[in-house]
Coordinates of all heavy atoms in Angstrom, one line a residue:
M896 N 92.2 -172.7 -69.5 CA 91.5 -172.9 -68.2 C 90.4 -171.8 -68.1 O 90.6 -170.6 -68.3 CB 92.4 -172.8 -67.0 CG 91.8 -172.6 -65.7 SD 93.0 -172.4 -64.3 CE 93.5 -174.1 -64.1
Q897 N 89.2 -172.2 -67.7 CA 88.1 -171.3 -67.4 C 87.5 -171.5 -66.0 O 87.2 -172.6 -65.6 CB 87.0 -171.6 -68.5 CG 85.9 -170.5 -68.6 CD 86.4 -169.2 -69.1 OE1 87.4 -169.1 -69.9 NE2 85.9 -168.1 -68.6
I898 N 87.4 -170.4 -65.3 CA 87.0 -170.5 -63.9 C 85.6 -169.9 -63.8 O 85.3 -168.9 -64.3 CB 88.0 -169.7 -63.0 CG1 89.4 -170.2 -63.1 CG2 87.5 -169.9 -61.5 CD1 90.4 -169.2 -62.5
T899 N 84.8 -170.6 -63.0 CA 83.5 -170.0 -62.6 C 83.4 -170.1 -61.1 O 83.9 -171.0 -60.5 CB 82.3 -170.6 -63.3 OG1 82.3 -172.1 -63.0 CG2 82.3 -170.4 -64.8
I900 N 82.7 -169.1 -60.5 CA 82.5 -169.2 -59.1 C 81.0 -169.1 -58.8 O 80.2 -168.6 -59.5 CB 83.2 -168.0 -58.3 CG1 82.8 -166.7 -58.9 CG2 84.7 -168.3 -58.3 CD1 83.4 -165.5 -58.2
D901 N 80.6 -169.7 -57.7 CA 79.2 -169.7 -57.2 C 79.2 -168.8 -55.9 O 79.5 -169.3 -54.9 CB 78.7 -171.1 -57.0 CG 77.2 -171.1 -56.7 OD1 76.7 -170.1 -56.3 OD2 76.6 -172.2 -56.8
E902 N 78.8 -167.6 -56.1 CA 78.8 -166.7 -55.0 C 77.8 -167.2 -53.9 O 78.0 -166.9 -52.7 CB 78.3 -165.3 -55.4 CG 79.4 -164.5 -56.2 CD 79.0 -163.1 -56.5 OE1 78.0 -162.6 -55.9 OE2 79.7 -162.5 -57.3
A903 N 76.8 -167.9 -54.3 CA 75.8 -168.3 -53.3 C 76.4 -169.4 -52.4 O 75.9 -169.5 -51.2 CB 74.6 -168.9 -54.0
K904 N 77.3 -170.1 -52.9 CA 78.0 -171.2 -52.0 C 79.1 -170.6 -51.2 O 79.4 -171.1 -50.1 CB 78.6 -172.3 -52.9 CG 77.6 -173.2 -53.5 CD 78.4 -174.3 -54.2 CE 77.5 -175.3 -54.9 NZ 78.4 -176.3 -55.7
C905 N 79.8 -169.6 -51.7 CA 80.9 -169.0 -51.0 C 80.6 -168.6 -49.6 O 79.6 -167.9 -49.3 CB 81.5 -167.8 -51.8 SG 82.8 -167.0 -50.9
C906 N 81.4 -169.0 -48.6 CA 81.2 -168.7 -47.2 C 82.3 -167.7 -46.7 O 82.4 -167.4 -45.5 CB 81.2 -169.9 -46.3 SG 82.8 -170.8 -46.3
G907 N 83.0 -167.2 -47.7 CA 84.0 -166.1 -47.3 C 85.2 -166.5 -46.5 O 85.8 -165.7 -45.8
A908 N 85.5 -167.8 -46.6 CA 86.7 -168.3 -45.9 C 88.0 -167.7 -46.3 O 88.9 -167.7 -45.5 CB 86.7 -169.8 -46.0
G909 N 88.1 -167.3 -47.5 CA 89.3 -166.6 -48.0 C 90.5 -167.5 -48.4 O 91.6 -167.0 -48.7
Q910 N 90.3 -168.8 -48.4 CA 91.4 -169.7 -48.7 C 91.9 -169.5 -50.1 O 93.1 -169.5 -50.4 CB 90.9 -171.2 -48.6 CG 90.3 -171.5 -47.3 CD 91.2 -171.6 -46.1 OE1 92.1 -170.7 -46.0 NE2 91.1 -172.6 -45.3
C911 N 90.9 -169.2 -51.0 CA 91.3 -169.0 -52.4 C 92.2 -167.8 -52.6 O 93.2 -167.8 -53.4 CB 90.1 -168.9 -53.3 SG 88.9 -167.6 -52.7
V912 N 92.0 -166.8 -51.8 CA 92.7 -165.5 -51.9 C 94.2 -165.8 -51.4 O 95.1 -165.2 -52.0 CB 92.0 -164.4 -51.1 CG1 92.8 -163.1 -51.3 CG2 90.6 -164.2 -51.7
L913 N 94.3 -166.6 -50.4 CA 95.6 -166.9 -49.9 C 96.4 -167.6 -50.9 O 97.6 -167.4 -51.0 CB 95.5 -167.7 -48.5 CG 94.9 -167.0 -47.4 CD1 94.7 -167.9 -46.2 CD2 95.7 -165.8 -46.9
V914 N 95.8 -168.6 -51.6 CA 96.5 -169.4 -52.5 C 96.8 -168.8 -53.9 O 97.9 -168.9 -54.4 CB 95.8 -170.8 -52.7 CG1 96.4 -171.6 -53.7 CG2 95.7 -171.5 -51.4
A915 N 95.8 -168.0 -54.3 CA 95.9 -167.4 -55.7 C 95.4 -166.0 -55.7 O 94.4 -165.7 -56.2 CB 95.1 -168.3 -56.7
P916 N 96.2 -165.1 -55.1 CA 95.7 -163.7 -54.9 C 95.6 -162.9 -56.2 O 95.0 -161.9 -56.2 CB 96.8 -163.1 -54.0 CG 98.0 -163.9 -54.1 CD 97.5 -165.3 -54.4
E917 N 96.2 -163.4 -57.3 CA 96.1 -162.7 -58.5 C 94.8 -163.1 -59.3 O 94.5 -162.4 -60.3 CB 97.3 -163.0 -59.4 CG 98.6 -162.4 -58.8 CD 99.8 -162.7 -59.7 OE1 99.7 -162.8 -60.9 OE2 100.9 -162.7 -59.1
V918 N 94.2 -164.1 -58.8 CA 93.0 -164.6 -59.5 C 91.7 -164.3 -58.6 O 90.7 -164.0 -59.2 CB 93.1 -166.1 -59.8 CG1 91.8 -166.6 -60.5 CG2 94.3 -166.3 -60.7
F919 N 91.9 -164.4 -57.3 CA 90.7 -164.3 -56.4 C 90.9 -163.1 -55.5 O 92.0 -162.9 -55.0 CB 90.5 -165.5 -55.6 CG 90.3 -166.8 -56.4 CD1 91.3 -167.7 -56.6 CD2 89.1 -167.0 -57.1 CE1 91.1 -168.8 -57.4 CE2 88.9 -168.2 -57.9 CZ 89.9 -169.1 -58.0
D920 N 89.8 -162.4 -55.2 CA 89.8 -161.4 -54.2 C 88.5 -161.6 -53.4 O 87.7 -162.5 -53.7 CB 89.9 -160.0 -54.8 CG 90.3 -158.9 -53.8 OD1 90.5 -159.2 -52.6 OD2 90.5 -157.8 -54.2
Q921 N 88.3 -160.8 -52.3 CA 87.1 -160.9 -51.6 C 86.5 -159.5 -51.5 O 87.2 -158.5 -51.3 CB 87.4 -161.4 -50.1 CG 87.7 -162.8 -50.1 CD 88.1 -163.2 -48.7 OE1 89.2 -163.0 -48.2 NE2 87.2 -163.8 -47.9
R922 N 85.1 -159.4 -51.5 CA 84.4 -158.2 -51.3 C 84.7 -157.6 -49.9 O 84.7 -158.4 -48.9 CB 82.9 -158.3 -51.5 CG 82.5 -158.7 -52.9 CD 81.1 -158.4 -53.2 NE 80.1 -159.1 -52.3 CZ 79.1 -159.9 -52.7 NH1 79.0 -160.1 -54.0 NH2 78.3 -160.4 -51.9
D923 N 84.9 -156.3 -49.8 CA 85.2 -155.7 -48.5 C 84.0 -155.9 -47.5 O 84.2 -156.2 -46.4 CB 85.5 -154.2 -48.7 CG 86.8 -154.0 -49.3 OD1 87.7 -154.9 -49.2 OD2 87.0 -152.9 -49.9
E924 N 82.8 -155.8 -48.1 CA 81.6 -155.8 -47.2 C 81.4 -157.1 -46.5 O 81.1 -157.1 -45.3 CB 80.3 -155.5 -48.0 CG 80.4 -154.3 -49.0 CD 80.9 -154.9 -50.4 OE1 80.1 -155.4 -51.2 OE2 82.1 -154.7 -50.6
D925 N 81.4 -158.2 -47.3 CA 81.0 -159.5 -46.7 C 82.0 -160.6 -46.9 O 81.7 -161.7 -46.5 CB 79.6 -159.8 -47.2 CG 79.6 -159.8 -48.7 OD1 80.6 -159.7 -49.4 OD2 78.5 -159.8 -49.3
G926 N 83.1 -160.4 -47.6 CA 84.1 -161.4 -47.8 C 83.8 -162.4 -48.9 O 84.6 -163.3 -49.1
I927 N 82.7 -162.2 -49.6 CA 82.4 -163.1 -50.7 C 83.4 -162.9 -51.8 O 83.9 -161.8 -52.1 CB 80.9 -162.8 -51.2 CG1 79.9 -163.0 -50.1 CG2 80.6 -163.7 -52.5 CD1 79.9 -164.4 -49.6
V928 N 83.7 -164.1 -52.4 CA 84.8 -164.1 -53.4 C 84.5 -163.2 -54.6 O 83.4 -163.1 -55.1 CB 85.1 -165.6 -53.8 CG1 83.9 -166.2 -54.6 CG2 86.3 -165.7 -54.7
V929 N 85.6 -162.6 -55.2 CA 85.5 -161.8 -56.4 C 86.5 -162.5 -57.4 O 87.7 -162.7 -57.0 CB 85.9 -160.4 -56.2 CG1 85.9 -159.6 -57.5 CG2 84.9 -159.7 -55.2
L930 N 86.0 -162.8 -58.5 CA 86.9 -163.4 -59.5 C 87.6 -162.3 -60.3 O 86.9 -161.5 -61.0 CB 86.1 -164.3 -60.4 CG 86.8 -165.2 -61.5 CD1 87.8 -166.1 -60.8 CD2 85.8 -166.0 -62.3
L931 N 88.9 -162.2 -60.2 CA 89.6 -161.2 -60.9 C 90.0 -161.5 -62.3 O 90.1 -160.7 -63.1 CB 91.0 -160.9 -60.1 CG 90.8 -160.4 -58.7 CD1 92.2 -160.3 -58.0 CD2 90.0 -159.1 -58.6
N932 N 90.1 -162.8 -62.5 CA 90.6 -163.3 -63.9 C 90.0 -164.7 -64.1 O 90.4 -165.6 -63.5 CB 92.1 -163.3 -63.9 CG 92.6 -163.7 -65.3 OD1 91.9 -164.0 -66.2 ND2 93.9 -163.6 -65.4
A933 N 89.0 -164.7 -65.0 CA 88.3 -166.0 -65.3 C 89.1 -167.0 -66.1 O 88.8 -168.2 -66.2 CB 87.0 -165.8 -65.9
S934 N 90.1 -166.5 -66.8 CA 90.9 -167.4 -67.7 C 92.4 -167.0 -67.5 O 93.0 -166.4 -68.4 CB 90.5 -167.3 -69.1 OG 90.5 -166.0 -69.6
P935 N 93.0 -167.3 -66.4 CA 94.4 -167.0 -66.0 C 95.4 -167.7 -66.9 O 95.1 -168.8 -67.4 CB 94.5 -167.3 -64.6 CG 93.6 -168.4 -64.4 CD 92.4 -168.1 -65.3
D936 N 96.6 -167.1 -67.0 CA 97.6 -167.8 -67.8 C 98.2 -169.0 -67.1 O 97.9 -169.2 -65.9 CB 98.7 -166.8 -68.3 CG 99.4 -166.2 -67.2 OD1 99.5 -166.7 -66.1 OD2 99.8 -165.0 -67.4
A937 N 99.0 -169.8 -67.8 CA 99.5 -171.1 -67.3 C 100.2 -171.0 -65.9 O 100.1 -171.9 -65.1 CB 100.4 -171.7 -68.3
A938 N 100.8 -169.8 -65.7 CA 101.6 -169.7 -64.4 C 100.7 -169.8 -63.2 O 101.1 -170.1 -62.1 CB 102.4 -168.4 -64.4
Q939 N 99.4 -169.5 -63.4 CA 98.4 -169.5 -62.3 C 97.7 -170.8 -62.1 O 97.0 -171.0 -61.1 CB 97.4 -168.4 -62.5 CG 98.0 -167.0 -62.5 CD 98.5 -166.5 -61.2 OE1 98.0 -166.9 -60.1 NE2 99.6 -165.8 -61.2
H940 N 97.8 -171.7 -63.1 CA 96.9 -172.8 -63.1 C 97.0 -173.7 -61.8 O 96.0 -174.2 -61.3 CB 97.1 -173.7 -64.3 CG 96.6 -173.0 -65.6 ND1 96.6 -173.6 -66.8 CD2 96.1 -171.7 -65.7 CE1 96.0 -172.7 -67.7 NE2 95.7 -171.6 -67.1
A941 N 98.2 -174.0 -61.4 CA 98.4 -174.9 -60.2 C 97.8 -174.3 -59.0 O 97.1 -175.0 -58.2 CB 99.9 -175.1 -60.0
A942 N 98.0 -172.9 -58.8 CA 97.4 -172.3 -57.7 C 95.9 -172.3 -57.7 O 95.2 -172.5 -56.7 CB 98.0 -170.8 -57.6
V943 N 95.3 -172.1 -58.9 CA 93.9 -172.1 -59.1 C 93.3 -173.5 -58.8 O 92.3 -173.6 -58.1 CB 93.5 -171.6 -60.5 CG1 92.0 -171.9 -60.7 CG2 93.8 -170.2 -60.7
R944 N 94.0 -174.5 -59.3 CA 93.5 -175.9 -59.0 C 93.5 -176.1 -57.5 O 92.6 -176.7 -56.9 CB 94.3 -176.9 -59.7 CG 94.1 -177.0 -61.2 CD 94.8 -178.2 -61.8 NE 95.0 -177.9 -63.2 CZ 96.1 -177.5 -63.8 NH1 97.2 -177.5 -63.1 NH2 96.2 -177.3 -65.1
E945 N 94.6 -175.7 -56.8 CA 94.7 -175.9 -55.4 C 93.5 -175.1 -54.6 O 92.9 -175.6 -53.7 CB 96.0 -175.4 -54.8 CG 96.2 -175.7 -53.4 CD 97.5 -175.3 -52.8 OE1 98.4 -174.8 -53.6 OE2 97.7 -175.4 -51.6
A946 N 93.3 -173.9 -55.1 CA 92.2 -173.1 -54.5 C 90.9 -173.8 -54.6 O 90.1 -173.9 -53.7 CB 92.1 -171.7 -55.2
A947 N 90.6 -174.4 -55.8 CA 89.3 -175.1 -56.0 C 89.3 -176.3 -55.1 O 88.2 -176.6 -54.5 CB 89.2 -175.5 -57.4
T948 N 90.4 -176.9 -54.8 CA 90.4 -178.1 -54.0 C 90.2 -177.8 -52.5 O 89.5 -178.5 -51.8 CB 91.8 -178.9 -54.2 OG1 91.9 -179.2 -55.5 CG2 91.9 -180.1 -53.3
I949 N 90.8 -176.7 -52.1 CA 90.7 -176.4 -50.6 C 89.5 -175.6 -50.3 O 89.3 -175.4 -49.1 CB 92.0 -175.8 -50.1 CG1 92.2 -174.4 -50.8 CG2 93.2 -176.7 -50.4 CD1 93.4 -173.6 -50.2
C950 N 88.8 -175.0 -51.3 CA 87.7 -174.2 -50.9 C 86.7 -175.0 -50.1 O 86.2 -176.0 -50.6 CB 87.0 -173.7 -52.2 SG 85.4 -172.8 -51.9
P951 N 86.4 -174.6 -48.9 CA 85.5 -175.4 -48.0 C 84.1 -175.4 -48.5 O 83.3 -176.3 -48.1 CB 85.6 -174.7 -46.7 CG 86.0 -173.3 -47.0 CD 86.9 -173.4 -48.2
A952 N 83.7 -174.5 -49.4 CA 82.3 -174.5 -49.9 C 82.2 -175.1 -51.3 O 81.1 -175.1 -51.8 CB 81.8 -173.0 -49.9
A953 N 83.2 -175.5 -51.9 CA 83.2 -176.0 -53.2 C 82.6 -175.0 -54.2 O 81.7 -175.4 -55.0 CB 82.5 -177.4 -53.3
A954 N 83.0 -173.8 -54.0 CA 82.4 -172.7 -54.8 C 83.1 -172.3 -56.1 O 82.7 -171.5 -56.8 CB 82.3 -171.4 -53.9
I955 N 84.3 -173.0 -56.3 CA 85.1 -172.7 -57.4 C 85.1 -173.9 -58.4 O 85.4 -175.0 -58.0 CB 86.6 -172.4 -57.0 CG1 86.6 -171.3 -56.0 CG2 87.5 -172.1 -58.2 CD1 88.0 -171.1 -55.3
Q956 N 84.6 -173.6 -59.6 CA 84.7 -174.6 -60.7 C 85.8 -174.3 -61.7 O 85.8 -173.1 -62.1 CB 83.3 -174.7 -61.4 CG 82.3 -175.7 -60.7 CD 81.7 -175.0 -59.5 OE1 81.2 -174.0 -59.7 NE2 81.7 -175.7 -58.4
V957 N 86.5 -175.3 -62.0 CA 87.6 -175.1 -63.0 C 87.4 -176.0 -64.2 O 87.2 -177.2 -64.0 CB 89.0 -175.4 -62.4 CG1 90.1 -175.3 -63.4 CG2 89.3 -174.5 -61.2
R958 N 87.3 -175.4 -65.4 CA 87.2 -176.2 -66.6 C 88.6 -176.1 -67.4 O 89.0 -175.0 -67.6 CB 86.1 -175.7 -67.5 CG 85.5 -176.6 -68.4 CD 84.0 -176.3 -68.7 NE 83.6 -174.9 -68.7 CZ 83.7 -174.1 -69.8 NH1 84.1 -174.6 -70.9 NH2 83.3 -172.9 -69.7
E959 N 89.2 -177.2 -67.7 CA 90.5 -177.2 -68.3 C 90.4 -177.1 -69.8 O 89.4 -177.6 -70.4 CB 91.3 -178.4 -67.9 CG 91.4 -178.6 -66.4 CD 92.5 -177.7 -65.8 OE1 93.2 -177.0 -66.6 OE2 92.7 -177.7 -64.6
Ligands
LIG1379 S1 87.8 -170.4 -50.6 FE1 85.8 -170.8 -51.3 S2 84.4 -170.1 -49.6 FE2 86.4 -169.2 -49.3 S3 86.3 -167.2 -50.2 FE3 87.2 -168.6 -51.7 S4 85.4 -169.2 -52.9 FE4 84.6 -168.4 -51.0

């Protein structure tokens, strides 16, 4: 799995961080997403897919 994020789309909603806190964080200044791990291990995959699905800005792309 390879994850990419589009910071320009991110609206700082934080949904991804709630679902997959080991993969996503948010910048303190403005809440924009920070990708902690672009290729997480299998244990994280379901959470990452859910994060991509629920992101209101469609800012998370997942390549399997
Ligand atoms: S859920 Fe989407 S919009 Fe919200 S912080 Fe994460 S990437 Fe940004």
Side-chain angles (χ1 to χ4, degrees):
M896 169 182 279
Q897 192 68 31
I898 306 166
T899 53
I900 53 172
D901 187 340
E902 287 187 10
K904 283 186 182 173
C905 175
C906 62
Q910 309 288 44
C911 55
V912 181
L913 293 176
V914 174
E917 293 179 27
V918 178
F919 302 103
D920 199 357
Q921 287 175 281
R922 294 201 300 238
D923 289 337
E924 317 86 84
D925 52 13
I927 299 300
V928 67
V929 175
L930 186 57
L931 300 176
N932 184 354
S934 52
D936 60 27
Q939 297 292 325
H940 288 186
V943 170
R944 287 188 202 105
E945 184 180 355
T948 300
I949 65 174
C950 173
I955 302 169
Q956 271 79 52
V957 177
R958 204 152 33 89
E959 304 281 355

